[in-house]
Amino acid sequence: MYLDYSLGGVPNEIGDEAWEFLDSLRSPHPYSDDFTESITNSVFWFDPEKPDIGLTQKEGEFTLTIRSPTGKPVMINFKP
């Protein structure tokens, strides 16, 4: 599970002390450090010009492979 608490005005609502505490616990996005999003909640997580989409299966687990917005390969593992 992943929660981005820096959206929706939360930093302005919770106060400096709470924000500094949460910020100290920050970890990178679990799939890629170059995913971005807009103020309207559009998430940019693949390269629309050259997505290089792939899907593989091994021992009951699937791996989705895509090309990130900056060209890095991103692998997302999941079980059906």
Side-chain angles (χ1 to χ4, degrees):
M1 181 175 286
Y2 181 79
L3 171 65
D4 189 347
Y5 52 83
S6 64
L7 303 174
V10 170
N12 298 327
E13 296 293 325
I14 63 174
D16 290 341
E17 186 177 352
W19 173 254
E20 288 172 14
F21 173 76
L22 288 173
D23 195 49
S24 72
L25 301 174
R26 185 179 295 205
S27 61
H29 192 283
Y31 298 129
S32 177
D33 59 357
D34 63 346
F35 290 176
T36 61
E37 55 194 85
S38 72
I39 196 160
T40 60
N41 283 342
S42 295
V43 178
F44 306 101
W45 59 282
F46 68 93
D47 180 351
E49 300 295 320
K50 189 176 180 186
D52 289 339
I53 299 169
L55 184 64
T56 57
Q57 179 184 12
K58 183 178 180 182
E59 299 175 5
E61 185 169 284
F62 289 88
T63 301
L64 172 66
T65 306
I66 59 167
R67 182 182 182 87
S68 76
T70 62
K72 297 177 188 176
V74 177
M75 300 173 71
I76 302 170
N77 299 316
F78 60 94
K79 292 183 180 182

